[in-house]
Amino acid sequence: MTDTAQGPDGLARCPWGAGPADYTAYHDAEWGRPVRGDDALFERLSLEAFQSGLSWLTILRRREGFRAAFAGFRIAEVADFTGADRERLLADPGIVRNRAKVDAVLANARVLAGWAPGELDALLWSYAPAARPAPAALADVPASTPRSAALAKELKRRGLRFVGPTTAYATMQACGLVNDHLWDCAFR
């Protein structure tokens, strides 16, 4: 027995991917596909932090607003944001205006700006686990793992904020470090 759902095109999908069109597009084209590059990974890590406590659909529907507000998540540019930029972000209706999350993204950019090019990419991907059996049901998909806890601990040790084990695992899923598409999902 599996939890996949049939989409409007007749293809089996993870149940959340057969929902609103925004989810379907993200599920089919992005989620679980490998993402490389410091700026791209910074974006995913930041968006997963913003998602904490909210629906992913909320973040997904504001993604372009986040990209515009945070200079395309280019680490070097975000690291140079000023107090005026912070106030602009906190007043921007195109993003989630959570003070702690905005401050974490700005602080994380400043930390990451001091890292060598490719260092974030290498660090995150060093926590990719060996391939494991595909989950058959949503109940088989964890919210966090020992590897995501270790990744979160290392990111915090290096000065990053708002990167707990669940956020780290969601980033691992989003960026293809793990493949949590259900075994019979057409997009596995």
Side-chain angles (χ1 to χ4, degrees):
M1 172 101 181
T2 182
D3 289 339
T4 53
Q6 188 174 16
D9 56 5
L11 295 175
R13 288 181 173 79
C14 302
W16 64 269
D22 308 68
Y23 267 164
T24 302
Y26 177 72
H27 170 274
D28 294 1
E30 288 188 66
W31 191 72
R33 306 231 188 259
V35 174
R36 301 305 296 244
D38 293 343
D39 291 340
L41 291 167
F42 172 60
E43 174 185 353
R44 300 321 190 284
L45 193 60
S46 299
L47 292 177
E48 293 296 346
F50 270 106
Q51 185 273 329
S52 181
L54 302 171
S55 162
W56 177 243
L57 192 57
T58 299
I59 303 307
L60 195 55
R61 288 183 172 162
R62 294 180 181 195
R63 190 175 189 183
E64 291 310 315
F66 276 108
R67 286 175 170 163
F70 285 97
F73 288 96
R74 290 179 295 278
I75 294 168
E77 291 180 41
V78 178
D80 286 339
F81 277 18
T82 65
D85 289 309
R86 178 182 180 270
E87 293 309 311
R88 171 186 54 80
L89 292 167
L90 292 173
D92 189 335
I95 67 169
V96 172
R97 296 170 287 180
N98 178 296
R99 186 174 308 275
K101 294 174 183 181
V102 167
D103 288 346
V105 170
L106 298 178
N108 290 349
R110 290 183 190 107
V111 168
L112 293 171
W115 290 18
E119 190 172 352
L120 177 61
D121 185 293
L123 176 67
L124 289 181
W125 278 92
S126 75
Y127 284 86
R132 62 178 198 257
L138 288 179
D140 300 331
V141 178
S144 65
T145 64
R147 277 200 183 257
S148 73
L151 173 58
K153 184 177 181 179
E154 180 61 16
L155 291 169
K156 287 178 184 179
R157 186 187 73 74
R158 292 180 178 221
L160 272 67
R161 297 168 32 188
F162 232 101
V163 289
T166 302
T167 298
Y169 193 70
T171 302
M172 293 169 79
Q173 290 174 307
C175 296
L177 281 74
V178 295
N179 184 349
D180 278 340
H181 283 282
L182 300 181
W183 73 271
D184 58 344
C185 174
F187 297 88
R188 179 161 177 81

